[in-house]
Amino acid sequence: MSGRIARLVTVPDVVGLPFHVARDAASEAGVALANPDPDGPPIGVLAWPGLFYVVRQAPEPGAVLHEWDSVAVEVVRHGDMPDNQATRILPLPPADSAQAMPERMARVDLTDYER
């Protein structure tokens, strides 16, 4: 018997989420988050104490794994993400005429200010 009995599950997208939220989303999907370094400490040790965000994951979202297989994630402490780090770009809201448009703000010229 060479096949696995575990059911197949879909990997969720956890990049950009706080670690504790990503861990819960992964658990609900039926996968476990793990350190990308198999010889390193458990991912829970790397993401504690404090607020950590997931910046990379493998395999990619939408991949199909057996239930409780590992998804390797890289985490960074809140505030430690480099400026050139890829971040999740949210889609723009729909542009339709029903949306409120901000009014142009009046500008005050302070160059003619007299003391």
Side-chain angles (χ1 to χ4, degrees):
M1 190 162 165
S2 62
R4 289 180 66 178
I5 298 173
R7 70 183 177 100
L8 296 176
V9 295
T10 303
V11 174
D13 185 2
V14 295
V15 173
L17 297 177
F19 175 74
H20 66 282
V21 174
R23 181 190 57 217
D24 292 346
S27 180
E28 287 176 16
V31 295
L33 298 185
N35 184 348
D37 178 4
D39 296 326
I43 192 68
V45 172
L46 296 177
W48 184 88
L51 179 58
F52 287 79
Y53 285 89
V54 176
V55 293
R56 287 188 188 87
Q57 79 176 67
E60 296 293 321
V64 176
L65 298 177
H66 286 95
E67 188 172 33
W68 303 120
D69 277 352
S70 296
V71 175
V73 294
E74 185 178 328
V75 295
V76 295
R77 183 183 295 275
H78 176 69
D80 289 348
M81 187 179 299
D83 290 338
N84 63 352
Q85 177 68 46
T87 57
R88 179 183 305 208
I89 299 173
L90 299 176
L92 294 173
D96 66 54
S97 59
Q99 282 186 303
M101 298 300 291
E103 292 182 18
R104 188 173 198 138
M105 296 180 62
R107 297 178 187 244
V108 177
D109 183 7
L110 298 177
T111 58
D112 292 331
Y113 178 72
E114 293 181 25
R115 292 185 191 208

